[in-house]
């Protein structure tokens, strides 16, 4: 059921870095994005795949991780993503990309979860630096980076408490806790 | 498999309007969005549900349908959506909503497909009019409208031809054709 996949699709930030993700797998995941809705069917998204250590390291250093965990700068060597799918938008097709990249990301991540992988949608990217490092032509706008791998951490959902605090946190056992608002809080009528 | 659901999740614009979609079903679909990723876990999205004829008609007249079908203004009475989920963003939580509504829409639509329903993500909305008609406070920004129902049309995927035309079209038998770019066209490396 899609509910189970959505539930299992937590945001993972630590991985078994030694477990590779094949290019074939990445292509299968992009194929899920290909068949997902696109505004006016313009299909302006393009994808850059990475699953080799050197390229992965290049991408990694342009990403920001887990803003609420002030004492954690991101996964250490050995626990980093095994692969990335960088989503860019082709400005020659469309000046804006609306919801297309969000839709594509969810398709890719649900496909990844089904394959026993997990990941993280990262929007906090040093864009000019990454654009230069990967020699991405200016025609393409960097939208999102999907970090992928075999998850190495436990993520637990909690209810948001009376103080309304939605900041995720890590406990002493390194379990990651994520407060979620209630269904009645989300539905206005 | 999620691939099958993504493949079946075509953009439907004609429905068996007489087939109701229950509020309980709409709530289950919003619950899928609730457990989907949200930037900084801020969870700024809110949802307005509609499944009654009067309210549906109010929403319907603020939506634009199928821009490429110049001789078709949208589904006629009897073939209109049985329900809507309007996605709005709470400006008091976040000034922008990034990819959150795209992600949420894909979760909701995949859940709908699994339930034998189908729908359409509509971004072409007469926003000020709808905001006033539904008495939505200014605190909330209208982002997307998901039209839902039991699909009444056949949608066929095609490969984009050498001319690169991605406009969808309807044939004489009212079958809706959607050209999709190839996987190799989407992957830049």
């Amino acid at each position: 059921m899609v509910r189970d996949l959505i539930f299992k699709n937590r945001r993972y930030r630590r991985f078994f870095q030694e477990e590779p993700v094949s290019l074939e797998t990445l292509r299968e995941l992009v194929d899920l994005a290909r068949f997902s809705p696109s505004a006016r069917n313009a299909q302006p998204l393009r994808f850059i795949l990475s699953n080799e250590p050197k390229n992965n390291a290049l991408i990694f250093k342009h990403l920001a991780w887990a803003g609420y965990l002030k004492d954690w700068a991101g996964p250490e060597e050995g626990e980093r993503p095994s692969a990335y799918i960088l989503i860019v938008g082709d400005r020659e097709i469309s000046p804006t990309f609306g919801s297309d990249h969000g839709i594509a990301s969810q398709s890719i991540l649900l496909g990844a979860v089904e394959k026993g992988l997990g990941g993280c949608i990262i929007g906090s990217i040093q864009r000019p630096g990454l654009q230069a490092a990967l020699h991405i032509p200016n025609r393409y706008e960097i939208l999102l980076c999907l970090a992928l791998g075999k998850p190495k951490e436990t993520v637990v959902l909690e209810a948001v408490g009376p103080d309304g605090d939605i900041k995720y946190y890590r406990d002493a056992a390194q379990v990651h806790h994520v407060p979620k608002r209630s269904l009645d809080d989300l539905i206005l009528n």
Side-chain angles (χ1 to χ4, degrees), chain A:
Chain A
M1 282 207 16
V2 75
R3 187 181 163 83
D4 300 325
L5 282 180
I6 287 172
F7 216 83
K8 274 176 69 178
N9 178 32
R10 294 301 100 218
R11 189 174 305 203
Y12 296 105
R13 296 179 179 86
R14 290 188 294 140
F15 303 90
F16 292 95
Q17 189 176 338
E18 69 278 12
E19 297 268 351
V21 177
S22 72
L23 266 188
E24 190 48 39
T25 294
L26 296 178
R27 286 176 61 88
E28 285 170 17
L29 295 176
V30 172
D31 211 31
L32 300 181
R34 183 163 85 94
F35 291 115
S36 299
S38 168
R40 300 177 307 282
N41 197 40
Q43 306 166 68
L45 302 183
R46 298 295 178 267
F47 302 86
I48 296 170
L49 313 181
S50 175
N51 71 339
E52 289 180 4
K54 199 177 147 193
N55 219 32
N56 285 352
L58 204 63
I59 294 173
F60 177 81
K61 69 178 185 182
H62 292 94
L63 307 175
W65 295 80
Y68 297 140
L69 307 180
K70 294 300 179 198
D71 54 351
W72 190 71
E76 291 180 17
E77 185 63 38
E79 294 191 338
R80 292 181 179 165
S82 311
Y84 296 94
I85 296 176
L86 190 67
I87 305 182
V88 302
D90 186 341
R91 293 191 175 101
E92 292 188 9
I93 296 179
S94 182
T96 57
F97 306 99
S99 304
D100 276 26
H101 43 302
I103 294 169
S105 296
Q106 184 67 341
S107 292
I108 288 173
L109 279 173
L110 294 179
V113 168
E114 196 173 54
K115 289 174 186 292
L117 300 171
C120 186
I121 303 174
I122 301 178
S124 189
I125 304 168
Q126 296 169 34
R127 287 179 168 77
L130 184 58
Q131 192 117 14
L134 294 181
H135 309 291
I136 302 172
N138 252 332
R139 165 178 177 176
Y140 301 104
E141 178 181 336
I142 294 176
L143 299 170
L144 292 171
C145 185
L146 310 185
L148 296 165
K150 192 177 161 204
K152 202 180 189 170
E153 63 182 345
T154 305
V155 178
V156 177
L157 297 179
E158 315 279 358
V160 169
D163 62 358
D165 191 355
I166 46 70
K167 291 190 196 73
Y168 47 77
Y169 61 94
R170 248 183 227 163
D171 66 21
Q174 296 300 303
V175 172
H176 189 84
H177 296 259
V178 181
K180 284 290 182 191
R181 302 186 197 279
S182 74
L183 186 57
D184 283 334
D185 281 348
L186 298 193
I187 296 175
L188 291 182
N189 65 337

